[in-house]
Amino acid sequence: MGKVTAGYVLDQTGLGHAFQDVEPVRELHTTYQQVRDQIVHQLKTDLASGDFFKYGEYIGEIGSMFIGIGEVKAAVIGTTYGAKLVESIQLASLATK
């Protein structure tokens, strides 16, 4: 069996008439491509500049997609408790000397 195309599926299901006016879809796709190209160009320009502040901004933006504020808060609280624990251990070791 050959490659199944979207047109074939639309014809077989009878939904082809729903997509007769595809001009808005084409315009949306063209706009998407233009915006994507602008973003990629800006990214290349910023990274080629050697500006480490820009690198940090991009790392922060990408990181924020994977790490939410809840994780950051938990890390801060964990660090605070960890620092208090280390301080307590140091005080205990000084008290035993």
Side-chain angles (χ1 to χ4, degrees), residues 42-94:
Q42 186 64 44
L43 179 65
K44 287 179 181 179
T45 303
D46 288 346
L47 294 179
S49 71
D51 184 3
F52 290 105
F53 290 109
K54 287 290 183 186
Y55 294 173
E57 287 177 15
Y58 283 115
I59 290 170
E61 287 294 325
I62 293 169
S64 69
M65 289 189 285
F66 301 104
I67 300 173
I69 192 68
E71 287 84 359
V72 172
K73 181 180 176 185
V76 168
I77 290 172
T79 304
T80 303
Y81 288 140
K84 288 181 181 179
L85 178 64
V86 168
E87 184 180 340
S88 299
I89 292 171
Q90 289 174 345
L91 288 174
S93 67
L94 290 175

